[in-house]
Amino acid sequence: MSIALNNSRVAHRMGDIQPFYVMDILARARELEAQGKSIVHMEIGEPDFLTPQPIINAGVKAIATGSMFYTPALGLPALRSAIAGFYRDRYNLDLSPSRIIITPGSSGALLLTMGVLLNPGDQVLMADPGYPCNRHFVRFTEGQAVGVPVDASTGYQLTPELIDQHWTPQTVAVMLASPSNPTGTLIPPETLRAIAELVKSRGGKLIVDEIYHGLVYEGEAATALAISDELFVINSFSKYFGMTGWRLGWLVAPDDYEPVIDKLAQNIFLAPSTPAQYAALAAFTPETREILEDRRQQFKARRDYLLPALRELGFDIPVTPQGAFYLYAGCNKFTDDSFTFARDLLENAGVAITPGLDFGSHLPSRHVRFAYTTSLDNLKIGVNRLKQLNLGR
Amino acid sequence: MSIALNNSRVAHRMGDIQPFYVMDILARARELEAQGKSIVHMEIGEPDFLTPQPIINAGVKAIATGSMFYTPALGLPALRSAIAGFYRDRYNLDLSPSRIIITPGSSGALLLTMGVLLNPGDQVLMADPGYPCNRHFVRFTEGQAVGVPVDASTGYQLTPELIDQHWTPQTVAVMLASPSNPTGTLIPPETLRAIAELVKSRGGKLIVDEIYHGLVYEGEAATALAISDELFVINSFSKYFGMTGWRLGWLVAPDDYEPVIDKLAQNIFLAPSTPAQYAALAAFTPETREILEDRRQQFKARRDYLLPALRELGFDIPVTPQGAFYLYAGCNKFTDDSFTFARDLLENAGVAITPGLDFGSHLPSRHVRFAYTTSLDNLKIGVNRLKQLNLGR
Ligand SMILES: Cc1ncc(COP(=O)(O)O)c(C=O)c1O
Ligand SMILES: Cc1ncc(COP(=O)(O)O)c(C=O)c1O
């Protein structure tokens, strides 16, 4: 999409920042729905569940009792401590609350991290396909995102070898995501450790996005923080905790970064949302944990249904995704233009999915992403509709 | 404050971004309070009033009925329309809702504006003293903030003459704030018009911060949008609407900027807070307006008390501030080190104020800011305590 601005000033960076292509799909889906058509939404990157009731209750109570003023820029001390407690309970890991920084979504954590680390021209290595905003956070702060093509042979994840191959004198950081969006794959702990050592030996910084932690269906993902104190680890209340619209996330930074991140957060954010922070204080109670565990089981059941069903339809999903709520599927059998393919599925079958274009430049036209953020029943309807299309025949 | 990071990578920009000095004052004030001391808070830049009840009710109702998912990046269409309605009612101005962009606080609006406009090295002119974050938003996006020293002779505001004097080939934008933080002064409409014309004739962009609109005690501030469609106007639900911790603001941009701002907001924010947006839908009702008008009267009464009282104590406040909730006061009679002076007032009188250092580099050590964000009774206690100090004798 090109931006035509007659006689208007637009910063160069904006020429490198792309909109989400899925927005076109979503907008068209809403149009079709407004015309009375039924659409199965498998394009949406947020849980279909409401925020757990205990979290809602805590938020509402806070608002009703006057908690609506600015908090400290790095967040409520009680929430920073509660998150430290979460690392202790879930990962058996002791973290100083001073390392935990509350942010407006993990989006805010990504912006702070890049803002604090990158000088103009600094390179950050990241997997392609990957979460589209990552490269734009880097570009926004005048760094250079270097997408490293990954495929099934490495579980769509970076490896020490790939990092080594792409490292240049301008490289200052490596960004990982486990589980990954769009592929749902994890990085094995040994690989993570080897990457952390390599990046450290090169004098770089390792950034690990763990926002889909908790949504893991085989085993338990270990946090990268268990490996090293020198990492920047990104997390969020959006996905596992079901709080997307509240806009709350966190960053765990090396201890000596607290003052520098504090002054940046003060200036560009002032503070994260107060009602969201009070709500999130209820995210770690046994009651909430039970609700979240039940939802995890539901996501697992959806994956266990959708994965073989798509494979049977002829989609190429060579690696079984262990987490998140995405299936990244090769559509080579059906098309060499995944964007048009996604538009066609929407028009002809009422099934909305995300074209590969949103995740980078490594074979995007041969891939699409299915999100299982809708009920098992809806997924079944969607799959049946795809069956009736006689795809690729 | 210098940031010592042993062996650690920190971007150069962070060397130019200062923390808020008032945070030291605030932290010390909280310490003293924890020791049982009574502190009169005149350092805090947020209203002491709770969010108006109708806004709270709307927020709580939205949460209770499941409105907690991501909204479109530019905000709920209904809220964009409601704000257009607000411009119609209050300013008799017709704006297309497509020009209104909902942001995470006006802080988010400032970040988007600078991000979309500035290339590395581009200069932005702004008044010094001024809101400290403005220069840091510019620095964050690799632009160069040029503080133009202003004094009482121009009501602490930029003028066409000052802009003309400081314009260089690198200048691309001018930033104004009316009413201003820290001075509470307005820009007269004729001056605003002349500035808009000058900036346009130079091919630059004019950015106007109107977040203290509504909090004006003499006459009514006209919006800069009445003068031109080509401005970037920043506003907020924080101050006049009493919603600081909800983190919601807006930007009115020239119409052709919508797609470019949309793709930036998608990538760096995803969306503004959903509960906050639903709450804000109740900000423009007659019921809320009545509450806000009552508060405006209270702020006016506080100003009308505090201004002569401080003058009588020997503070130099040569221009009567027409708006916001700040008095910017020369403390030349008492000190040539306003930071130590502020610390001393806190320790010896239990009165917390903000040192000039937070607002720029033009005579900061000769100025302090008093915020009348506490009750009239508290202000009286504070003034009496200052009287007993026998300041400057
Ligand atoms: C991998 C990844 N990181 C970060 C985010 C940002 O989410 P939020 O800002 O809501 O925490 C997303 C959202 O989809 C994501 O998929
Ligand atoms: C002049 C001015 N602009 C912008 C802001 C940012 O406020 P918010 O992000 O809460 O809208 C402030 C806050 O103090 C301010 O004083």
Side-chain angles (χ1 to χ4, degrees):
Chain A
M1 197 215 271
S2 84
I3 306 290
L5 280 182
N6 303 329
N7 306 317
S8 281
R9 155 173 301 279
V10 177
H12 300 320
R13 67 174 64 84
M14 296 312 301
D16 299 324
I17 292 182
Q18 281 92 43
F20 301 165
Y21 292 91
V22 70
M23 290 298 169
D24 291 355
I25 300 285
L26 187 60
R28 180 63 186 149
R30 301 282 184 227
E31 251 174 52
L32 291 169
E33 283 174 326
Q35 292 164 19
K37 303 253 163 65
S38 136
I39 305 293
V40 177
H41 289 281
M42 297 200 240
E43 81 282 36
I44 295 179
E46 70 180 322
D48 50 323
F49 301 109
L50 293 180
T51 302
Q53 197 62 46
I55 299 179
I56 292 180
N57 293 349
V60 166
K61 186 170 162 211
I63 295 169
T65 54
S67 293
M68 51 197 49
F69 295 99
Y70 292 129
T71 71
L74 299 188
L76 289 172
L79 184 57
R80 299 173 75 186
S81 290
I83 294 174
F86 171 69
Y87 280 100
R88 211 159 29 239
D89 292 352
R90 171 155 304 201
Y91 302 106
N92 197 19
L93 194 70
D94 260 310
L95 293 181
S96 159
S98 66
R99 291 180 57 196
I100 296 164
I101 285 151
I102 314 296
T103 56
S106 65
S107 300
L110 288 162
L111 189 62
L112 288 176
T113 303
M114 301 309 173
V116 159
L117 290 180
L118 302 185
N119 285 318
D122 283 353
Q123 292 180 348
V124 182
L125 302 182
M126 54 185 69
D128 176 351
Y131 177 58
C133 303
N134 288 340
R135 63 180 189 278
H136 296 136
F137 282 113
V138 171
R139 181 64 187 89
F140 187 68
T141 52
E142 296 294 328
Q144 197 186 336
V146 177
V148 177
V150 292
D151 59 22
S153 70
T154 67
Y156 300 104
Q157 293 283 4
L158 295 183
T159 61
E161 296 67 38
L162 286 169
I163 290 168
D164 193 55
Q165 273 168 36
H166 289 83
W167 197 279
T168 76
Q170 286 72 52
T171 308
V172 304
V174 172
M175 163 117 221
L176 307 172
S178 177
S180 144
N181 175 3
T183 66
T185 55
L186 297 181
I187 304 180
E190 325 77 70
T191 311
L192 193 55
R193 186 177 298 275
I195 290 176
E197 279 165 15
L198 173 65
V199 172
K200 185 182 160 131
S201 76
R202 294 291 171 88
K205 294 287 171 193
L206 184 58
I207 305 161
V208 186
D209 182 332
E210 298 188 343
I211 90 161
Y212 291 101
H213 262 229
L215 296 172
V216 171
Y217 313 114
E218 264 132 52
E220 173 77 64
T223 172
L225 291 162
I227 290 178
S228 163
D229 284 343
E230 296 173 53
L231 312 181
F232 289 78
V233 170
I234 311 288
N235 212 320
S236 180
F237 287 98
S238 288
K239 312 290 170 152
Y240 173 61
F241 296 99
M243 292 183 68
T244 47
W246 298 79
R247 313 307 302 120
L248 202 69
W250 75 84
L251 166 66
V252 184
D255 209 12
D256 50 353
Y257 278 90
E258 189 194 18
V260 70
I261 294 174
D262 190 9
K263 69 178 184 169
L264 185 55
Q266 280 175 19
N267 276 287
I268 68 173
F269 296 140
L270 296 186
S273 160
T274 304
Q277 290 186 77
Y278 279 95
L281 282 170
F284 308 110
T285 61
E287 199 188 350
T288 303
R289 217 178 307 167
E290 203 171 296
I291 296 168
L292 297 176
E293 174 55 20
D294 173 67
R295 292 178 178 185
R296 192 183 68 84
Q297 295 294 349
Q298 292 189 55
F299 279 122
K300 181 178 189 313
R302 294 174 184 181
R303 183 202 63 162
D304 291 346
Y305 165 74
L306 190 61
L307 177 63
L310 292 180
R311 282 176 171 159
E312 198 170 308
L313 279 167
F315 287 96
D316 184 30
I317 310 174
V319 186
T320 294
Q322 299 149 276
F325 33 61
Y326 304 118
L327 300 176
Y328 188 64
C331 51
N332 231 352
K333 248 198 198 149
F334 317 125
T335 183
D336 57 5
D337 174 358
S338 64
F339 187 78
T340 303
F341 179 69
R343 287 294 301 237
D344 287 349
L345 292 198
L346 179 60
E347 299 293 336
N348 303 329
V351 172
I353 60 175
T354 303
L357 217 47
D358 265 343
F359 307 106
S361 45
H362 180 53
L363 302 180
S365 58
R366 307 302 176 99
H367 291 89
V368 292
R369 185 191 75 179
F370 289 83
Y372 42 96
T373 48
T374 188
S375 70
L376 196 51
D377 284 349
N378 275 336
L379 295 178
K380 287 178 181 166
I381 294 170
V383 166
N384 281 330
R385 289 185 186 173
L386 295 181
K387 267 188 197 144
Q388 278 155 26
L389 275 189
N390 284 323
L391 283 170
R393 275 185 216 152
Chain B
M1 194 212 273
S2 85
I3 306 288
L5 280 183
N6 303 328
N7 305 318
S8 280
R9 156 173 300 278
V10 178
H12 299 319
R13 67 173 65 83
M14 295 313 301
D16 300 323
I17 292 183
Q18 281 93 43
F20 300 165
Y21 292 91
V22 69
M23 289 297 167
D24 290 356
I25 301 286
L26 186 60
R28 179 65 185 148
R30 300 285 184 223
E31 249 174 56
L32 291 169
E33 282 174 327
Q35 292 165 19
K37 304 250 163 66
S38 136
I39 304 293
V40 177
H41 289 281
M42 298 199 237
E43 82 282 37
I44 294 180
E46 70 180 322
D48 51 323
F49 300 108
L50 294 180
T51 303
Q53 198 61 45
I55 298 179
I56 292 181
N57 294 349
V60 167
K61 187 170 162 212
I63 295 168
T65 53
S67 292
M68 50 196 50
F69 295 99
Y70 292 129
T71 71
L74 298 187
L76 289 172
L79 184 56
R80 299 172 76 186
S81 290
I83 294 174
F86 171 70
Y87 279 100
R88 210 159 29 239
D89 291 352
R90 172 155 303 203
Y91 301 106
N92 197 20
L93 194 69
D94 259 309
L95 293 181
S96 160
S98 66
R99 292 180 56 195
I100 297 165
I101 284 150
I102 314 296
T103 56
S106 65
S107 300
L110 288 162
L111 189 62
L112 289 177
T113 302
M114 301 308 174
V116 159
L117 290 181
L118 302 185
N119 285 317
D122 283 353
Q123 293 181 346
V124 182
L125 303 182
M126 54 184 70
D128 176 353
Y131 178 58
C133 304
N134 288 340
R135 63 180 190 278
H136 296 135
F137 282 112
V138 172
R139 181 64 186 89
F140 187 70
T141 51
E142 295 295 328
Q144 197 186 335
V146 177
V148 177
V150 292
D151 60 22
S153 70
T154 67
Y156 299 104
Q157 292 283 5
L158 295 183
T159 60
E161 296 67 37
L162 286 169
I163 291 167
D164 192 54
Q165 273 167 39
H166 289 82
W167 197 279
T168 76
Q170 286 72 51
T171 307
V172 304
V174 172
M175 163 116 219
L176 307 173
S178 177
S180 144
N181 175 4
T183 66
T185 55
L186 297 181
I187 304 180
E190 325 77 71
T191 311
L192 193 56
R193 185 177 298 275
I195 290 175
E197 278 164 16
L198 173 65
V199 172
K200 186 182 160 130
S201 77
R202 294 290 171 89
K205 293 288 171 193
L206 184 59
I207 305 161
V208 186
D209 182 333
E210 298 189 342
I211 90 161
Y212 292 101
H213 262 228
L215 296 172
V216 171
Y217 314 115
E218 264 133 51
E220 174 76 62
T223 172
L225 291 162
I227 290 176
S228 163
D229 284 342
E230 296 172 53
L231 313 181
F232 289 78
V233 169
I234 310 287
N235 212 320
S236 181
F237 287 98
S238 288
K239 312 290 170 153
Y240 173 60
F241 296 99
M243 292 183 70
T244 48
W246 299 78
R247 313 306 302 120
L248 202 69
W250 75 86
L251 165 66
V252 184
D255 210 12
D256 50 353
Y257 278 89
E258 190 194 18
V260 71
I261 295 174
D262 190 10
K263 68 178 185 171
L264 185 56
Q266 280 175 17
N267 276 286
I268 67 173
F269 297 139
L270 295 188
S273 160
T274 305
Q277 290 185 76
Y278 279 96
L281 282 171
F284 308 110
T285 61
E287 200 188 349
T288 304
R289 216 178 308 169
E290 203 171 295
I291 297 168
L292 297 176
E293 173 56 21
D294 173 68
R295 292 176 178 186
R296 191 183 70 85
Q297 295 294 348
Q298 292 189 57
F299 279 122
K300 180 178 189 317
R302 294 173 184 182
R303 183 201 64 161
D304 292 345
Y305 164 73
L306 190 61
L307 177 63
L310 292 180
R311 281 175 172 161
E312 198 170 308
L313 279 166
F315 287 96
D316 185 30
I317 309 174
V319 186
T320 296
Q322 299 148 276
F325 33 60
Y326 304 117
L327 299 175
Y328 188 65
C331 50
N332 231 353
K333 248 195 195 151
F334 317 125
T335 184
D336 57 6
D337 174 358
S338 63
F339 187 79
T340 304
F341 179 69
R343 287 295 301 237
D344 288 350
L345 292 198
L346 178 59
E347 299 293 336
N348 304 329
V351 171
I353 59 176
T354 303
L357 218 45
D358 265 344
F359 307 105
S361 45
H362 179 55
L363 302 178
S365 58
R366 307 303 176 99
H367 291 89
V368 293
R369 187 192 73 179
F370 289 82
Y372 42 97
T373 48
T374 188
S375 70
L376 196 52
D377 284 348
N378 276 336
L379 294 177
K380 286 178 181 167
I381 295 171
V383 165
N384 280 330
R385 289 184 187 174
L386 295 181
K387 266 189 196 145
Q388 278 155 25
L389 276 189
N390 283 323
L391 282 170
R393 288 212 190 134

